[in-house]
Amino acid sequence: MKKLLFLPLVLALAAATAQNTPIHLIPQPVEIQQLTGSFALTKATTIGFDNPAGQTVADMLAQKLNAPTGFALKPQRALKSSIQLNLNSTPNEKLGKEGYTLDAGPKGVVLTANQPAGLFYGMQTLLQLLPKEIESKTPVQANWSIPAVKITDYPRFGWRGIMLDVSRHFFSKEDVKKYIDEIARLKYNTFHWHLTDDNGWRIEIKSLPKLTSVGAWRVARAGRFGERADPKPGEPTTYGGFYTHDDIREVVRYAQERNVTIVPEIDVPGHSMAALAAYPELSCTKNPDTKVNPGTHFADWYGNGTFKMNIENTLNPSDEKVYEFLDKVFTEVAALFPNPYIHVGGDECYKGYWKEDPGCQALMKKLNIRHVEDLQGYFMNRVEGILKAKGKKLLGWDEILEGGISPEATVMSWRGTKGGIEAAQMGHDVVMTPTTFAYLDYTQGDPTVDPPIYAHLRCKKSYSFEPVPDGVDPKYILGGQGNLWTEQVPTLRYAEYMTYPRAWALSEVYWSPKEKKNWEDFVQRMETHFARADAAGINYSRAIYDAIVRTSMKDGKLWLEMEAEVPGLDIYYSTDETMPDDHSAKYSAPVELPEGPITLRVVTYRNGKPIGHLITLSREQLEQRAGR
Ligand code: ACM
């Protein structure tokens, strides 16, 4: 009897809970209105598409739903299915090429878009509305319900990219496909494939076979990039790999099915040591002992962005053979990639060898240019001519502005936003990828916890990025990217760790309305996505749970200042050689640290439970940090 009396209350509570199930989408849609009720996915659910162009997405959706549910849903051309994918016969202007509407209610779900790309993004949103078990690759039990909701969504920017460097470490085509699939879920539509650099040439060029038979392989080395031992004479080159034309076509097709276009990068005239290991005659010194570099100390960096190359890694701009070489390379690259853009690098080109070279001197005289920097302008213009002849557009890092470049060139701003601002003011199209917000190779947690690299970038900072600088006409800002350089990223698993959650943050920067950005709200959604990534077997960093530890020196005293990246964390610390816990000193305001050879240990707690890593800093490290 008692049980029966309680039943209505239990039901009411259950209903209230269902009603309040928060919807946690990344990136946040333009408009979202949660309604009451939900749609239950069952084996009787039908999936339909009104136009044959919607079938690819419908099939993909069925596949995604069937694996974890064990259902055997089979899409049909139809008009009134329980999950219905429709393409507008008259385009809805607001949605553009990639937008969609999603209407979910107890009777079913309707996805509508102007083009299949919009249906694809609607599908990604739909999958995020299902519980995390939807990520399982084998049948599991779960509450397969979709909350009632009305969504209208479209991107802020047309260019939403992620760059992966496959030169410093080779990533197999399977790895690359998985990575592309992951970014497509976040509504990124551009995969910038950094295919060549000093440490490996990764794309087969049939007319230049040594680029891969020699250039794709280096000696095996462990340890930090920049500190590794030189190749020994005659040492076998066993580490590396490359993509055949068939591999590339397979990856391009795979990406196309996910509305991802691939921008290939052939990085010239600098960063070309792997090409020169294959064809040393293309350099100024023509050193026949040039090797694909395994990450030795091959450059000296002076801290202000200037540097000296200890080993030549530049093509010789005064040699016509170089342009014949590039014509062969770009003929094959242009045929493999449908994207109108080819990225030609142009970054960090050391001109010291050009300065010493009689051919370069003679060319400068002939061109009547006084600065060796202007030779890069000459080189880039020649490269642009080669690309134009193949119907392609030139895209390069912001250094391409320095030697002068045609207004049709598109500029990727990486040394902050300065290059992008200048370029836009000159009327160039710009893709924003500043180190300060978008470099996914930088450490995201404390450098004593995360393996250290050149610089540091927290997720919160990435989230705060505004790609359109003040005073710049937004029409020149095509969008932006996150860039993952892989000097110290040897595996896909670690590439994921470096990419997420910062690429979640950037997906929102490039897709969602600026006005909707809200870090506290994003954190809640990010935490839901940690659980979804766990279910999907995708790695990510939890550095957002670690304390941010700063020190400063005031009147010879060492001061400690700490904060948390996410709200609701308590920070505890010790300086007495004990392991800190929630009975240790709780940080609330800057404190003066005791004199002597102390060690600072810091932990974070949330709701009485430890979360995040232990950070340990010696007095020496604390003092060093104060000097930063
Ligand atoms: C770059 O990071 N060198 C473009």
Side-chain angles (χ1 to χ4, degrees):
M1 195 59 203
K2 258 190 182 154
K3 270 184 196 152
L4 274 181
L5 276 177
F6 278 117
L7 196 58
L9 180 65
V10 171
L11 286 177
L13 275 175
T17 317
Q19 207 172 315
N20 293 334
T21 304
I23 292 179
H24 281 174
L25 302 172
I26 294 178
Q28 187 74 298
V30 174
E31 288 169 30
I32 175 165
Q33 186 189 357
Q34 190 166 5
L35 309 167
T36 51
S38 60
F39 170 70
L41 189 72
T42 69
K43 63 180 195 304
T45 296
T46 53
I47 302 178
F49 50 91
D50 72 340
N51 182 315
Q55 178 157 7
T56 308
V57 175
D59 285 345
M60 220 182 257
L61 174 64
Q63 224 174 34
K64 285 294 286 185
L65 300 179
N66 287 341
T69 57
F71 304 156
L73 312 181
K74 194 165 172 359
Q76 305 280 346
R77 183 131 186 227
L79 295 176
K80 287 205 175 340
S81 319
S82 33
I83 300 179
Q84 179 66 35
L85 277 58
N86 290 339
L87 285 168
N88 291 320
S89 41
T90 313
N92 171 344
E93 293 294 328
K94 194 156 122 180
L95 300 182
K97 286 193 291 214
E98 297 182 301
Y100 65 93
T101 59
L102 185 158
D103 287 277
K107 292 211 175 67
V109 182
V110 181
L111 280 180
T112 309
N114 295 331
Q115 295 193 18
L119 290 181
F120 178 81
Y121 293 134
M123 172 185 78
Q124 297 304 341
T125 299
L126 182 63
L127 292 170
Q128 288 191 19
L129 292 170
L130 281 153
K132 65 177 190 299
E133 288 81 6
I134 201 68
E135 298 295 350
S136 175
K137 284 159 192 84
T138 50
V140 282
Q141 289 299 319
N143 172 17
W144 303 119
S145 77
I146 296 164
V149 69
K150 200 171 165 48
I151 293 172
T152 301
D153 200 14
Y154 45 87
R156 178 172 175 206
F157 293 104
W159 187 302
R160 306 177 304 278
I162 295 285
M163 188 211 77
L164 179 68
D165 162 13
V166 296
S167 171
R168 274 54 182 264
H169 288 282
F170 177 64
F171 291 79
S172 70
K173 73 175 173 194
E174 285 75 24
D175 282 350
V176 171
K177 281 158 72 177
K178 183 166 191 278
Y179 195 72
I180 288 172
D181 184 63
E182 291 174 10
I183 64 169
R185 292 154 173 251
L186 299 163
K187 304 186 171 84
Y188 284 100
N189 64 0
T190 302
F191 176 65
H192 170 174
W193 209 354
H194 184 78
L195 286 163
T196 72
D197 214 301
D198 301 318
N199 317 97
W201 180 285
R202 304 297 178 210
I203 175 172
E204 176 188 33
I205 301 295
K206 288 185 195 281
S207 56
L208 295 160
K210 284 202 290 183
L211 279 175
T212 43
S213 65
V214 174
W217 303 96
R218 64 171 171 85
V219 298
R221 286 287 182 278
R224 291 187 60 182
F225 190 92
E227 296 174 4
R228 298 178 193 150
D230 289 328
K232 297 189 204 68
E235 186 179 356
T237 54
T238 54
Y239 187 86
F242 65 92
Y243 312 103
T244 64
H245 283 200
D246 280 345
D247 291 340
I248 302 255
R249 281 190 278 263
E250 183 182 325
V251 174
V252 166
R253 222 172 15 248
Y254 182 88
Q256 273 170 341
E257 284 166 8
R258 286 156 181 78
N259 193 45
V260 171
T261 184
I262 300 184
V263 174
E265 181 183 352
I266 305 295
D267 197 351
V268 289
H271 286 275
S272 291
M273 213 185 299
L276 295 178
Y279 299 102
E281 62 273 22
L282 302 176
S283 68
C284 291
T285 60
K286 309 189 193 320
N287 179 356
D289 291 330
T290 304
K291 300 280 186 283
V292 180
N293 197 278
T296 68
H297 180 82
F298 61 78
D300 289 318
W301 290 88
Y302 302 129
N304 55 356
T306 63
F307 63 101
K308 173 175 174 293
M309 287 298 300
N310 301 317
I311 304 174
E312 188 180 13
N313 72 340
T314 41
L315 301 176
N316 177 355
S318 71
D319 188 344
E320 282 306 308
K321 284 201 189 69
V322 164
Y323 302 102
E324 287 161 25
F325 164 85
L326 290 171
D327 193 79
K328 287 181 181 168
V329 169
F330 289 122
T331 298
E332 296 188 34
V333 171
L336 285 168
F337 294 94
N339 193 298
Y341 293 96
I342 294 180
H343 199 309
V344 297
D347 59 318
E348 297 173 323
C349 171
Y350 177 67
K351 286 136 186 134
Y353 295 91
W354 296 1
K355 253 184 209 155
E356 312 289 320
D357 183 70
C360 289
Q361 294 305 316
L363 177 61
M364 286 171 67
K365 215 164 169 189
K366 187 172 141 204
L367 297 171
N368 200 19
I369 53 182
R370 281 191 299 138
H371 304 291
V372 75
E373 284 69 28
D374 294 333
L375 267 185
Q376 182 164 349
Y378 168 79
F379 175 89
M380 286 297 165
N381 280 297
R382 292 285 305 264
V383 170
E384 189 177 30
I386 293 171
L387 296 191
K388 267 194 182 159
K390 299 174 199 319
K392 297 291 184 182
K393 296 202 247 189
L394 182 143
L395 166 67
W397 300 110
D398 55 48
E399 285 95 333
I400 64 170
L401 288 171
E402 288 167 6
I405 189 81
S406 88
E408 289 150 64
T410 300
V411 174
M412 200 167 258
S413 186
W414 74 279
R415 295 175 300 176
T417 51
K418 191 172 149 279
I421 295 170
E422 269 174 40
Q425 283 164 352
M426 290 159 71
H428 293 278
D429 282 343
V430 171
V431 178
M432 283 292 189
T433 68
T435 53
T436 35
F437 296 95
Y439 263 40
L440 304 175
D441 56 325
Y442 289 4
T443 51
Q444 49 208 314
D446 195 279
T448 60
V449 175
D450 273 0
I453 188 109
Y454 325 108
H456 184 65
L457 172 63
R458 295 227 169 231
C459 186
K460 189 175 182 181
K461 179 95 187 278
S462 290
Y463 190 78
S464 73
F465 181 38
E466 170 43 45
V468 181
D470 287 343
V472 165
D473 185 340
K475 80 173 187 206
Y476 293 113
I477 310 295
L478 303 182
Q481 282 190 183
N483 293 339
L484 182 58
W485 302 100
T486 59
E487 281 93 332
Q488 290 186 190
V489 181
T491 63
L492 180 68
R493 185 83 186 146
Y494 197 56
E496 291 173 341
Y497 177 91
M498 297 306 287
T499 303
Y500 311 113
R502 287 178 295 194
W504 301 346
L506 289 175
S507 78
E508 202 142 311
V509 168
Y510 302 138
W511 177 282
S512 307
K514 179 178 164 182
E515 302 71 31
K516 285 199 106 175
K517 267 172 55 178
N518 177 325
W519 171 248
E520 282 73 24
D521 182 71
F522 177 72
V523 167
Q524 289 183 26
R525 289 180 286 120
M526 172 165 41
E527 295 203 69
T528 300
H529 281 253
F530 283 165
R532 298 187 76 88
D534 287 338
I538 297 171
N539 199 12
Y540 55 87
S541 160
R542 294 166 54 90
I544 55 152
Y545 296 124
D546 300 347
I548 301 173
V549 182
R550 295 195 191 92
T551 55
S552 55
M553 292 299 281
K554 268 186 229 129
D555 306 325
K557 310 267 194 232
L558 188 57
W559 283 76
L560 169 69
E561 198 174 335
M562 295 193 282
E563 64 174 307
E565 200 171 357
V566 301
L569 298 192
D570 298 316
I571 305 175
Y572 298 94
Y573 67 99
S574 72
T575 52
D576 59 357
E577 301 304 318
T578 62
M579 286 297 276
D581 67 5
D582 56 350
H583 290 61
S584 305
K586 184 173 176 178
Y587 180 82
S588 59
V591 281
E592 188 190 321
L593 286 168
E595 310 253 331
I598 54 147
T599 305
L600 173 73
R601 290 185 173 81
V602 184
V603 287
T604 51
Y605 275 64
R606 185 164 68 181
N607 302 328
K609 297 219 167 56
I611 193 169
H613 299 94
L614 168 72
I615 295 173
T616 307
L617 291 162
S618 65
R619 172 147 211 122
E620 194 187 348
Q621 287 171 309
L622 290 163
E623 282 179 7
Q624 247 176 21
R625 197 164 280 210
R628 276 217 298 258

